[in-house]
């Protein structure tokens, strides 16, 4: 049997990896991306594990797979993969994927400066700014984002009582602000984030068990966003996002920034039309904006946009050989 070959372009968005699979992915039926996601998870999850897990990936690895869109109003379909699973939406992944697709010639825009993407969470509009053959910035207009549950009190083993908000920006987030039980990011190490985040996620999931009111396929708390004051002079806030089992987002996190803006609008701390610059754990920035008011299942929501940059760092031909006892990847516990 010949090894299975995947043609990938590796990039990063403000520090967080994006492995774009441009060739070798399984052929899926011409159905909406939400259905493609379900088929992929049920029948082809070995592809995700092979490309995201060690020895080809790592605990913070993420990427995307390019597909034709099933919609006439979209130029490209995108399936988001990472160590934790196949996501409905990924902000930093969108910025990296669009940068790769444009710079490598994988997509031809109908209108220069704009792209429409079909992702499992819905249709995402994108604007970009070229500089010769390079893309300097991508701004994605995300799906409607909303505050799902406010001031949720949970008991976290080792931390004690915490009050958190649960907000949706393409994934569900537990947002933890500084409070008596938690002194902020400066009081935490990366090891602390990896230790406490799964406990917070489990406690909040038990308390809330969020389900998207318009799409029950999108459910479950997947991310924890530790929120704090900024250090960068341009930023309005700083964050560290935990995902998967041991992943810490190096970028400011696109869906997390959308969820944070939705939370702040719902609490009267941000208004429609205002900017929100979000700083990552390594000091990189996403430039967010509350574009408009919206509605999700009868709940007040916002239409957020996120601007950021990505850089291509290499071309990667990856082989998955079934003779290899570790062909489909592994994780350390």
């Amino acid at each position: 049997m010949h090894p299975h070959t995947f043609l990938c372009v590796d990039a990063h968005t403000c520090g967080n990896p994006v492995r774009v699979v441009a060739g070798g992915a399984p052929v899926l039926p011409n159905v909406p991306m939400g259905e493609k996601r379900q088929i992929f998870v049920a029948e082809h999850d070995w592809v995700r594990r092979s490309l995201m897990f060690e020895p080809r990936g790592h605990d913070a690895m993420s990427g995307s797979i390019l597909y034709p869109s099933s919609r006439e109003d979209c130029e490209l379909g995108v399936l988001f993969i990472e160590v934790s699973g196949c996501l409905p939406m990924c902000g930093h992944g969108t910025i990296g994927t669009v940068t790769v697709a444009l710079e490598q010639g994988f997509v031809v825009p109908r209108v220069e400066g704009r792209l429409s993407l079909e992702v499992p969470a819905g249709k995402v509009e994108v604007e970009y700014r070229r500089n010769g053959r390079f893309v300097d910035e991508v701004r994605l207009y995300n799906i409607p984002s909303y505050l799902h549950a406010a001031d949720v009190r949970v008991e976290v083993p080792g931390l004690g009582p915490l009050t958190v908000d649960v907000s949706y920006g393409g994934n569900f987030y537990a947002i933890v602000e500084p409070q008596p039980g938690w002194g902020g990011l400066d009081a935490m190490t990366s090891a602390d984030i990896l230790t406490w985040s799964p406990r917070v996620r489990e406690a909040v999931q038990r308390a809330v068990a969020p389900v998207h009111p318009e799409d029950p396929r999108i459910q479950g708390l997947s991310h924890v966003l530790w929120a704090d004051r900024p250090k960068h002079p341009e930023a309005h806030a700083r964050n560290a996002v935990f995902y998967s089992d041991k992943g810490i987002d190096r970028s400011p996190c696109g869906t997390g920034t959308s969820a944070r803006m939705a939370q702040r609008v719902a609490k009267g701390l941000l208004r429609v039309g205002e900017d929100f610059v979000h700083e990552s754990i390594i000091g990189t920035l996403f430039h967010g904006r509350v574009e408009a008011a919206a509605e999700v299942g009868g709940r007040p929501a916002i239409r957020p946009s996120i601007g950021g940059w990505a850089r291509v760092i290499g071309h990667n031909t990856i082989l998955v050989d079934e003779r290899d006892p570790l062909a489909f990847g592994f994780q350390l516990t």
Side-chain angles (χ1 to χ4, degrees), residues 258-271:
S258 298
R260 187 92 190 273
M261 287 193 286
Q263 174 221 24
R264 291 172 74 92
V265 168
K267 293 200 161 190
L269 303 174
L270 192 64
R271 294 181 294 182

Side-chain angles (χ1 to χ4, degrees), residues 37 80 82 86-95 117 119-122 124 126 140-143 168-171 173 218 223 254-255 258:
R37 174 176 175 250
F80 297 107
E82 67 171 36
C86 190
L87 299 180
M89 174 58 187
C90 181
H92 95 274
T94 297
I95 292 169
L117 309 180
V119 306
V124 174
V126 166
L140 67 100
Y141 294 81
N142 202 5
I143 45 86
Y168 178 79
N171 301 290
Y173 286 79
I218 302 174
H223 294 58
T255 57
S258 298

Side-chain angles (χ1 to χ4, degrees), residues 71-76 107-112 114-116 128:
R71 300 174 54 135
E72 293 184 358
D73 59 350
C74 292
E75 288 104 319
L76 192 63
V107 65
V108 178
R110 294 169 184 161
V111 177
E112 180 59 29
R114 295 185 177 183
L115 275 178
S116 296
Y128 60 88

Side-chain angles (χ1 to χ4, degrees), residues 4-7 21-27 46-47 65 67:
H4 197 97
T5 303
F6 296 94
L7 303 178
V21 182
V27 176
W46 68 269
V47 175
I65 303 176
Y67 280 104

